[in-house]
Amino acid sequence: MIRFENIGLRYGLGPEVLRDVDFHLVPGSFHFLTGPSGAGKTSLLRMLFMSLRPSRGLIHLFGQNCSDLSSPARADLRRRIGIVFQDFRLLDHLTTWENVALPLRVFGKSEASYRDDVTDLLKWVGLGARMTAYPEVLSGGEKQRAAIARAVIGKPELLLADEPTGNVDPAMANRLLRLFIELNRLGTSVIIATHDFQLMDQCDAPRLVLHEGHLEIR
Amino acid sequence: MKVTWKFDDLPGRLAGRIRTSPWVAVVRGLAGGQTGPGSTPIVQPASVAGRALTVVIAIMTFLACLTSGAVYVVNQSANDWFADIASEITVQVSEGQGSEFEKKVTLVSLFLAKQPGIQKVNPLSAEESGQLLEPWLGGSDVLSELPVPRLIAVVIDRSSPPDLDAVREALESNFKGVTLDDHRRWQAELRTVTRSLVLGGIAVLMLVGAATVASIVSATKSAMASNREIIEVLHFVGARERFIAHEFEKHFLNIGVRAGLVGALGATIVFLLLPVTMRLLSGRGLAAAELRQFIGSAVLDWPGYLLFGLVVIVVATLCMLTSRFGVYRILKSYD
Ligand SMILES: Nc1ncnc2c1ncn2[C@@H]1O[C@H](COP(=O)(O)OP(=O)(O)OP(=O)(O)O)[C@@H](O)[C@H]1O
Ligand SMILES: [Mg+2]
């Protein structure tokens, strides 16, 4: 499902952020991605999401070599991936509900076909009362939950989450983790980047640990 | 690689292209119809940069319409005038006295009327000829003592004009002191003047056009910059380039058409009011008459207003294309 072969990454002429990263994840797996701040977690997720090209090495996603895909083909692959950004990236002129529904709208589905799904999901993440609010007035945790809801609404085959629990209290963090586990049970592969050990201890999942540019699976 | 063309579905594909064309969406929106799913547009409808763009487009369209309208009017009235002048020639009878002279004028007129290609012959009376000279020579006391030449106005059939050189020769050999003036020199001079006026107008039009293009492109670009976030997010949730470009084309075409229409409407009002103001400002004086003579009645006919429509279409298309290129340029940086 995901295969990294000898991936190296550097920004511009800077030092190599990642070196000889080599791993293989099977469909339906659940992983934490961890490491100190600045270790390259976000960079690794961006490469998985094809918004960053590695300086060297090969990335295979869903059995396809990412480096020689056309732009529409990349867009199609992205539709199979949900991503939660560290900085949320919600659109300020759309309501919470519209933000969460955006992927389905982009896929060309009719609003009637997803209206209830979006509402249900928002209720599930505790935003039932904030559906018509604009991101500006949401708290950090509320934005985070909206971003998560947007990432999972399209039932992606792969979910990437960058610090998805960084802004919420432990109770809500647990609730969100359960959402991810539930999704994983339904067949979605999940990678959660975090340095929240409390969260990682909640479930017995393998950890991808980044340290000085190298990746280890523990 | 073998390329196969499928023509069987061409009408269908064409219809699809037309249905999804941003123009259709915009026209439907202007007509008050539904523009799409009932939720908020994906591209932010009113941003500060968007409003600035609206103002720039309206003003530039207004200026472009004014310039093209003015050039059109001058060109048009110059053409009309030439057509008038070219269909008239003057024959001057200058030697002779008393009844002899009157007879000569009548004979020449009859001779002229017989020539093929001549529609109307109108010999001016002594009084009429005198009146023409009044502005230069003053009162009629002087005139009555001077041997004033007589003029015969001749209207020629422009569809089959006479051979003027042959007519002139015939006149000169049959009568003494008769000259034919086909206004050629006068016409040539005038033509140079109006032509340089029109050429100057076209040069100004080109400058205004260039300024319009430059300002609309740069205003659209800056409006696009504020939309970078939206492009990014759409890209990340799996939107194809075509989809994103289409959303932005629709949005910017909409701005372009609306603001362009406002500018063109302004120019239309100016041209509708122009004849009235000209009459109010200059009264019925000689200057007004001359001015009117020169720039015509300053009335724009319907092809002139059509020109405004063309300006709006060009401006809106420009706006749309700039936004499309903007989208592709921003998306390029993610690949
Ligand atoms: N666009 C960029 N240009 C240059 N350097 C960058 C860029 N993005 C990240 N880096 C550098 O790459 C390294 C890894 O960054 P990255 O954001 O992947 O770390 P991270 O593990 O996600 O950190 P955190 O836990 O703080 O989010 C850092 O040293 C960072 O300074
Ligand atoms: Mg990070």
mmCIF file with all atom_site columns, all heavy atoms in Angstrom, chain A residues 11 17 36-44 46 86 162-163 195, ligand 1:
data_model
loop_
_atom_site.group_PDB
_atom_site.id
_atom_site.type_symbol
_atom_site.label_atom_id
_atom_site.label_alt_id
_atom_site.label_comp_id
_atom_site.label_asym_id
_atom_site.label_entity_id
_atom_site.label_seq_id
_atom_site.pdbx_PDB_ins_code
_atom_site.Cartn_x
_atom_site.Cartn_y
_atom_site.Cartn_z
_atom_site.occupancy
_atom_site.B_iso_or_equiv
_atom_site.pdbx_formal_charge
_atom_site.auth_seq_id
_atom_site.auth_comp_id
_atom_site.auth_asym_id
_atom_site.auth_atom_id
_atom_site.pdbx_PDB_model_num
ATOM   1   N N   . TYR A 1 11  ? 15.605 20.352 1.985  1.00 0.00 ? 11  TYR A N   1
ATOM   2   C CA  . TYR A 1 11  ? 14.967 21.570 1.490  1.00 0.00 ? 11  TYR A CA  1
ATOM   3   C C   . TYR A 1 11  ? 16.044 22.446 0.880  1.00 0.00 ? 11  TYR A C   1
ATOM   4   O O   . TYR A 1 11  ? 16.972 22.851 1.568  1.00 0.00 ? 11  TYR A O   1
ATOM   5   C CB  . TYR A 1 11  ? 14.274 22.323 2.625  1.00 0.00 ? 11  TYR A CB  1
ATOM   6   C CG  . TYR A 1 11  ? 12.996 21.661 3.100  1.00 0.00 ? 11  TYR A CG  1
ATOM   7   C CD1 . TYR A 1 11  ? 12.983 20.861 4.239  1.00 0.00 ? 11  TYR A CD1 1
ATOM   8   C CD2 . TYR A 1 11  ? 11.808 21.837 2.405  1.00 0.00 ? 11  TYR A CD2 1
ATOM   9   C CE1 . TYR A 1 11  ? 11.807 20.268 4.681  1.00 0.00 ? 11  TYR A CE1 1
ATOM   10  C CE2 . TYR A 1 11  ? 10.633 21.243 2.840  1.00 0.00 ? 11  TYR A CE2 1
ATOM   11  C CZ  . TYR A 1 11  ? 10.642 20.472 3.973  1.00 0.00 ? 11  TYR A CZ  1
ATOM   12  O OH  . TYR A 1 11  ? 9.475  19.878 4.402  1.00 0.00 ? 11  TYR A OH  1
ATOM   13  N N   . VAL A 1 17  ? 17.022 16.347 5.741  1.00 0.00 ? 17  VAL A N   1
ATOM   14  C CA  . VAL A 1 17  ? 16.107 16.218 6.867  1.00 0.00 ? 17  VAL A CA  1
ATOM   15  C C   . VAL A 1 17  ? 15.809 14.736 7.105  1.00 0.00 ? 17  VAL A C   1
ATOM   16  O O   . VAL A 1 17  ? 15.733 14.264 8.230  1.00 0.00 ? 17  VAL A O   1
ATOM   17  C CB  . VAL A 1 17  ? 14.808 16.990 6.574  1.00 0.00 ? 17  VAL A CB  1
ATOM   18  C CG1 . VAL A 1 17  ? 13.790 16.759 7.672  1.00 0.00 ? 17  VAL A CG1 1
ATOM   19  C CG2 . VAL A 1 17  ? 15.101 18.473 6.411  1.00 0.00 ? 17  VAL A CG2 1
ATOM   20  N N   . PRO A 1 36  ? 11.106 13.817 17.836 1.00 0.00 ? 36  PRO A N   1
ATOM   21  C CA  . PRO A 1 36  ? 11.166 15.168 18.393 1.00 0.00 ? 36  PRO A CA  1
ATOM   22  C C   . PRO A 1 36  ? 10.721 16.216 17.373 1.00 0.00 ? 36  PRO A C   1
ATOM   23  O O   . PRO A 1 36  ? 10.681 15.963 16.175 1.00 0.00 ? 36  PRO A O   1
ATOM   24  C CB  . PRO A 1 36  ? 12.643 15.343 18.756 1.00 0.00 ? 36  PRO A CB  1
ATOM   25  C CG  . PRO A 1 36  ? 13.373 14.314 17.978 1.00 0.00 ? 36  PRO A CG  1
ATOM   26  C CD  . PRO A 1 36  ? 12.433 13.182 17.758 1.00 0.00 ? 36  PRO A CD  1
ATOM   27  N N   . SER A 1 37  ? 10.426 17.389 17.901 1.00 0.00 ? 37  SER A N   1
ATOM   28  C CA  . SER A 1 37  ? 10.011 18.471 17.008 1.00 0.00 ? 37  SER A CA  1
ATOM   29  C C   . SER A 1 37  ? 11.113 18.772 16.001 1.00 0.00 ? 37  SER A C   1
ATOM   30  O O   . SER A 1 37  ? 12.287 18.826 16.355 1.00 0.00 ? 37  SER A O   1
ATOM   31  C CB  . SER A 1 37  ? 9.696  19.714 17.836 1.00 0.00 ? 37  SER A CB  1
ATOM   32  O OG  . SER A 1 37  ? 9.299  20.749 16.994 1.00 0.00 ? 37  SER A OG  1
ATOM   33  N N   . GLY A 1 38  ? 10.743 18.926 14.748 1.00 0.00 ? 38  GLY A N   1
ATOM   34  C CA  . GLY A 1 38  ? 11.736 19.207 13.716 1.00 0.00 ? 38  GLY A CA  1
ATOM   35  C C   . GLY A 1 38  ? 12.369 17.954 13.145 1.00 0.00 ? 38  GLY A C   1
ATOM   36  O O   . GLY A 1 38  ? 13.263 18.030 12.314 1.00 0.00 ? 38  GLY A O   1
ATOM   37  N N   . ALA A 1 39  ? 11.881 16.767 13.573 1.00 0.00 ? 39  ALA A N   1
ATOM   38  C CA  . ALA A 1 39  ? 12.478 15.518 13.098 1.00 0.00 ? 39  ALA A CA  1
ATOM   39  C C   . ALA A 1 39  ? 12.070 15.229 11.649 1.00 0.00 ? 39  ALA A C   1
ATOM   40  O O   . ALA A 1 39  ? 12.747 14.471 10.958 1.00 0.00 ? 39  ALA A O   1
ATOM   41  C CB  . ALA A 1 39  ? 12.062 14.369 14.005 1.00 0.00 ? 39  ALA A CB  1
ATOM   42  N N   . GLY A 1 40  ? 10.977 15.810 11.211 1.00 0.00 ? 40  GLY A N   1
ATOM   43  C CA  . GLY A 1 40  ? 10.560 15.584 9.824  1.00 0.00 ? 40  GLY A CA  1
ATOM   44  C C   . GLY A 1 40  ? 9.240  14.845 9.692  1.00 0.00 ? 40  GLY A C   1
ATOM   45  O O   . GLY A 1 40  ? 8.944  14.292 8.630  1.00 0.00 ? 40  GLY A O   1
ATOM   46  N N   . LYS A 1 41  ? 8.424  14.881 10.732 1.00 0.00 ? 41  LYS A N   1
ATOM   47  C CA  . LYS A 1 41  ? 7.138  14.177 10.670 1.00 0.00 ? 41  LYS A CA  1
ATOM   48  C C   . LYS A 1 41  ? 6.232  14.802 9.607  1.00 0.00 ? 41  LYS A C   1
ATOM   49  O O   . LYS A 1 41  ? 5.693  14.099 8.740  1.00 0.00 ? 41  LYS A O   1
ATOM   50  C CB  . LYS A 1 41  ? 6.431  14.247 12.044 1.00 0.00 ? 41  LYS A CB  1
ATOM   51  C CG  . LYS A 1 41  ? 7.212  13.599 13.178 1.00 0.00 ? 41  LYS A CG  1
ATOM   52  C CD  . LYS A 1 41  ? 6.440  13.634 14.470 1.00 0.00 ? 41  LYS A CD  1
ATOM   53  C CE  . LYS A 1 41  ? 6.284  15.036 15.059 1.00 0.00 ? 41  LYS A CE  1
ATOM   54  N NZ  . LYS A 1 41  ? 7.555  15.659 15.453 1.00 0.00 ? 41  LYS A NZ  1
ATOM   55  N N   . THR A 1 42  ? 6.101  16.130 9.702  1.00 0.00 ? 42  THR A N   1
ATOM   56  C CA  . THR A 1 42  ? 5.252  16.814 8.719  1.00 0.00 ? 42  THR A CA  1
ATOM   57  C C   . THR A 1 42  ? 5.781  16.602 7.306  1.00 0.00 ? 42  THR A C   1
ATOM   58  O O   . THR A 1 42  ? 5.021  16.349 6.357  1.00 0.00 ? 42  THR A O   1
ATOM   59  C CB  . THR A 1 42  ? 5.165  18.313 9.045  1.00 0.00 ? 42  THR A CB  1
ATOM   60  O OG1 . THR A 1 42  ? 4.634  18.471 10.362 1.00 0.00 ? 42  THR A OG1 1
ATOM   61  C CG2 . THR A 1 42  ? 4.269  19.035 8.060  1.00 0.00 ? 42  THR A CG2 1
ATOM   62  N N   . SER A 1 43  ? 7.108  16.670 7.161  1.00 0.00 ? 43  SER A N   1
ATOM   63  C CA  . SER A 1 43  ? 7.698  16.479 5.835  1.00 0.00 ? 43  SER A CA  1
ATOM   64  C C   . SER A 1 43  ? 7.359  15.104 5.284  1.00 0.00 ? 43  SER A C   1
ATOM   65  O O   . SER A 1 43  ? 7.023  14.947 4.100  1.00 0.00 ? 43  SER A O   1
ATOM   66  C CB  . SER A 1 43  ? 9.216  16.645 5.907  1.00 0.00 ? 43  SER A CB  1
ATOM   67  O OG  . SER A 1 43  ? 9.536  17.872 6.511  1.00 0.00 ? 43  SER A OG  1
ATOM   68  N N   . LEU A 1 44  ? 7.436  14.080 6.140  1.00 0.00 ? 44  LEU A N   1
ATOM   69  C CA  . LEU A 1 44  ? 7.153  12.725 5.689  1.00 0.00 ? 44  LEU A CA  1
ATOM   70  C C   . LEU A 1 44  ? 5.692  12.585 5.260  1.00 0.00 ? 44  LEU A C   1
ATOM   71  O O   . LEU A 1 44  ? 5.381  11.990 4.228  1.00 0.00 ? 44  LEU A O   1
ATOM   72  C CB  . LEU A 1 44  ? 7.482  11.733 6.809  1.00 0.00 ? 44  LEU A CB  1
ATOM   73  C CG  . LEU A 1 44  ? 7.540  10.287 6.334  1.00 0.00 ? 44  LEU A CG  1
ATOM   74  C CD1 . LEU A 1 44  ? 8.890  9.688  6.688  1.00 0.00 ? 44  LEU A CD1 1
ATOM   75  C CD2 . LEU A 1 44  ? 6.437  9.456  6.944  1.00 0.00 ? 44  LEU A CD2 1
ATOM   76  N N   . ARG A 1 46  ? 3.815  14.983 4.163  1.00 0.00 ? 46  ARG A N   1
ATOM   77  C CA  . ARG A 1 46  ? 3.629  15.732 2.914  1.00 0.00 ? 46  ARG A CA  1
ATOM   78  C C   . ARG A 1 46  ? 4.095  14.917 1.710  1.00 0.00 ? 46  ARG A C   1
ATOM   79  O O   . ARG A 1 46  ? 3.500  14.991 0.633  1.00 0.00 ? 46  ARG A O   1
ATOM   80  C CB  . ARG A 1 46  ? 4.371  17.064 2.971  1.00 0.00 ? 46  ARG A CB  1
ATOM   81  C CG  . ARG A 1 46  ? 3.633  18.113 3.797  1.00 0.00 ? 46  ARG A CG  1
ATOM   82  C CD  . ARG A 1 46  ? 4.349  19.440 3.769  1.00 0.00 ? 46  ARG A CD  1
ATOM   83  N NE  . ARG A 1 46  ? 4.451  19.991 2.429  1.00 0.00 ? 46  ARG A NE  1
ATOM   84  C CZ  . ARG A 1 46  ? 5.327  20.917 2.060  1.00 0.00 ? 46  ARG A CZ  1
ATOM   85  N NH1 . ARG A 1 46  ? 6.177  21.392 2.940  1.00 0.00 ? 46  ARG A NH1 1
ATOM   86  N NH2 . ARG A 1 46  ? 5.351  21.354 0.820  1.00 0.00 ? 46  ARG A NH2 1
ATOM   87  N N   . GLN A 1 86  ? -1.536 20.162 10.397 1.00 0.00 ? 86  GLN A N   1
ATOM   88  C CA  . GLN A 1 86  ? -1.176 20.678 11.711 1.00 0.00 ? 86  GLN A CA  1
ATOM   89  C C   . GLN A 1 86  ? -1.838 22.054 11.912 1.00 0.00 ? 86  GLN A C   1
ATOM   90  O O   . GLN A 1 86  ? -2.242 22.399 13.001 1.00 0.00 ? 86  GLN A O   1
ATOM   91  C CB  . GLN A 1 86  ? 0.355  20.826 11.777 1.00 0.00 ? 86  GLN A CB  1
ATOM   92  C CG  . GLN A 1 86  ? 0.905  20.679 13.161 1.00 0.00 ? 86  GLN A CG  1
ATOM   93  C CD  . GLN A 1 86  ? 2.418  20.469 13.155 1.00 0.00 ? 86  GLN A CD  1
ATOM   94  O OE1 . GLN A 1 86  ? 3.049  20.366 12.110 1.00 0.00 ? 86  GLN A OE1 1
ATOM   95  N NE2 . GLN A 1 86  ? 2.999  20.397 14.328 1.00 0.00 ? 86  GLN A NE2 1
ATOM   96  N N   . ASP A 1 162 ? -1.751 15.032 11.227 1.00 0.00 ? 162 ASP A N   1
ATOM   97  C CA  . ASP A 1 162 ? -0.569 15.692 11.782 1.00 0.00 ? 162 ASP A CA  1
ATOM   98  C C   . ASP A 1 162 ? -0.949 16.364 13.095 1.00 0.00 ? 162 ASP A C   1
ATOM   99  O O   . ASP A 1 162 ? -1.682 17.350 13.096 1.00 0.00 ? 162 ASP A O   1
ATOM   100 C CB  . ASP A 1 162 ? -0.071 16.738 10.774 1.00 0.00 ? 162 ASP A CB  1
ATOM   101 C CG  . ASP A 1 162 ? 1.395  17.077 10.983 1.00 0.00 ? 162 ASP A CG  1
ATOM   102 O OD1 . ASP A 1 162 ? 1.955  16.635 12.010 1.00 0.00 ? 162 ASP A OD1 1
ATOM   103 O OD2 . ASP A 1 162 ? 1.963  17.779 10.123 1.00 0.00 ? 162 ASP A OD2 1
ATOM   104 N N   . GLU A 1 163 ? -0.475 15.802 14.202 1.00 0.00 ? 163 GLU A N   1
ATOM   105 C CA  . GLU A 1 163 ? -0.807 16.311 15.532 1.00 0.00 ? 163 GLU A CA  1
ATOM   106 C C   . GLU A 1 163 ? -2.310 16.526 15.695 1.00 0.00 ? 163 GLU A C   1
ATOM   107 O O   . GLU A 1 163 ? -2.754 17.623 16.025 1.00 0.00 ? 163 GLU A O   1
ATOM   108 C CB  . GLU A 1 163 ? -0.093 17.655 15.784 1.00 0.00 ? 163 GLU A CB  1
ATOM   109 C CG  . GLU A 1 163 ? 1.385  17.634 15.560 1.00 0.00 ? 163 GLU A CG  1
ATOM   110 C CD  . GLU A 1 163 ? 2.156  17.019 16.734 1.00 0.00 ? 163 GLU A CD  1
ATOM   111 O OE1 . GLU A 1 163 ? 1.519  16.647 17.750 1.00 0.00 ? 163 GLU A OE1 1
ATOM   112 O OE2 . GLU A 1 163 ? 3.381  16.910 16.634 1.00 0.00 ? 163 GLU A OE2 1
ATOM   113 N N   . HIS A 1 195 ? 3.558  13.702 19.222 1.00 0.00 ? 195 HIS A N   1
ATOM   114 C CA  . HIS A 1 195 ? 4.535  13.400 20.260 1.00 0.00 ? 195 HIS A CA  1
ATOM   115 C C   . HIS A 1 195 ? 3.852  13.320 21.613 1.00 0.00 ? 195 HIS A C   1
ATOM   116 O O   . HIS A 1 195 ? 4.450  13.556 22.635 1.00 0.00 ? 195 HIS A O   1
ATOM   117 C CB  . HIS A 1 195 ? 5.739  14.357 20.283 1.00 0.00 ? 195 HIS A CB  1
ATOM   118 C CG  . HIS A 1 195 ? 5.481  15.739 19.801 1.00 0.00 ? 195 HIS A CG  1
ATOM   119 N ND1 . HIS A 1 195 ? 6.414  16.420 19.070 1.00 0.00 ? 195 HIS A ND1 1
ATOM   120 C CD2 . HIS A 1 195 ? 4.431  16.546 19.925 1.00 0.00 ? 195 HIS A CD2 1
ATOM   121 C CE1 . HIS A 1 195 ? 5.921  17.607 18.777 1.00 0.00 ? 195 HIS A CE1 1
ATOM   122 N NE2 . HIS A 1 195 ? 4.723  17.699 19.285 1.00 0.00 ? 195 HIS A NE2 1
HETATM 123 N N1  . LIG C 2 .   ? 9.426  24.584 3.637  1.00 0.00 ? 1   LIG C N1  1
HETATM 124 C C1  . LIG C 2 .   ? 10.574 24.346 4.313  1.00 0.00 ? 1   LIG C C1  1
HETATM 125 N N2  . LIG C 2 .   ? 11.718 24.915 3.892  1.00 0.00 ? 1   LIG C N2  1
HETATM 126 C C2  . LIG C 2 .   ? 12.885 24.693 4.537  1.00 0.00 ? 1   LIG C C2  1
HETATM 127 N N3  . LIG C 2 .   ? 13.007 23.908 5.593  1.00 0.00 ? 1   LIG C N3  1
HETATM 128 C C3  . LIG C 2 .   ? 11.895 23.293 6.065  1.00 0.00 ? 1   LIG C C3  1
HETATM 129 C C4  . LIG C 2 .   ? 10.627 23.493 5.453  1.00 0.00 ? 1   LIG C C4  1
HETATM 130 N N4  . LIG C 2 .   ? 9.707  22.772 6.111  1.00 0.00 ? 1   LIG C N4  1
HETATM 131 C C5  . LIG C 2 .   ? 10.373 22.156 7.118  1.00 0.00 ? 1   LIG C C5  1
HETATM 132 N N5  . LIG C 2 .   ? 11.677 22.461 7.088  1.00 0.00 ? 1   LIG C N5  1
HETATM 133 C C6  . LIG C 2 .   ? 12.701 21.938 8.012  1.00 0.00 ? 1   LIG C C6  1
HETATM 134 O O1  . LIG C 2 .   ? 12.674 20.528 7.957  1.00 0.00 ? 1   LIG C O1  1
HETATM 135 C C7  . LIG C 2 .   ? 12.791 19.981 9.234  1.00 0.00 ? 1   LIG C C7  1
HETATM 136 C C8  . LIG C 2 .   ? 11.644 19.065 9.517  1.00 0.00 ? 1   LIG C C8  1
HETATM 137 O O2  . LIG C 2 .   ? 10.474 19.807 9.594  1.00 0.00 ? 1   LIG C O2  1
HETATM 138 P P1  . LIG C 2 .   ? 9.051  19.190 9.871  1.00 0.00 ? 1   LIG C P1  1
HETATM 139 O O3  . LIG C 2 .   ? 8.047  20.250 9.809  1.00 0.00 ? 1   LIG C O3  1
HETATM 140 O O4  . LIG C 2 .   ? 8.877  18.030 8.969  1.00 0.00 ? 1   LIG C O4  1
HETATM 141 O O5  . LIG C 2 .   ? 9.218  18.675 11.383 1.00 0.00 ? 1   LIG C O5  1
HETATM 142 P P2  . LIG C 2 .   ? 8.154  18.039 12.378 1.00 0.00 ? 1   LIG C P2  1
HETATM 143 O O6  . LIG C 2 .   ? 8.686  16.736 12.803 1.00 0.00 ? 1   LIG C O6  1
HETATM 144 O O7  . LIG C 2 .   ? 6.827  18.041 11.750 1.00 0.00 ? 1   LIG C O7  1
HETATM 145 O O8  . LIG C 2 .   ? 8.164  19.071 13.572 1.00 0.00 ? 1   LIG C O8  1
HETATM 146 P P3  . LIG C 2 .   ? 6.975  19.440 14.583 1.00 0.00 ? 1   LIG C P3  1
HETATM 147 O O9  . LIG C 2 .   ? 6.828  18.313 15.532 1.00 0.00 ? 1   LIG C O9  1
HETATM 148 O O10 . LIG C 2 .   ? 7.471  20.656 15.281 1.00 0.00 ? 1   LIG C O10 1
HETATM 149 O O11 . LIG C 2 .   ? 5.794  19.680 13.782 1.00 0.00 ? 1   LIG C O11 1
HETATM 150 C C9  . LIG C 2 .   ? 12.902 21.139 10.187 1.00 0.00 ? 1   LIG C C9  1
HETATM 151 O O12 . LIG C 2 .   ? 14.289 21.301 10.508 1.00 0.00 ? 1   LIG C O12 1
HETATM 152 C C10 . LIG C 2 .   ? 12.396 22.317 9.429  1.00 0.00 ? 1   LIG C C10 1
HETATM 153 O O13 . LIG C 2 .   ? 13.096 23.471 9.797  1.00 0.00 ? 1   LIG C O13 1
#
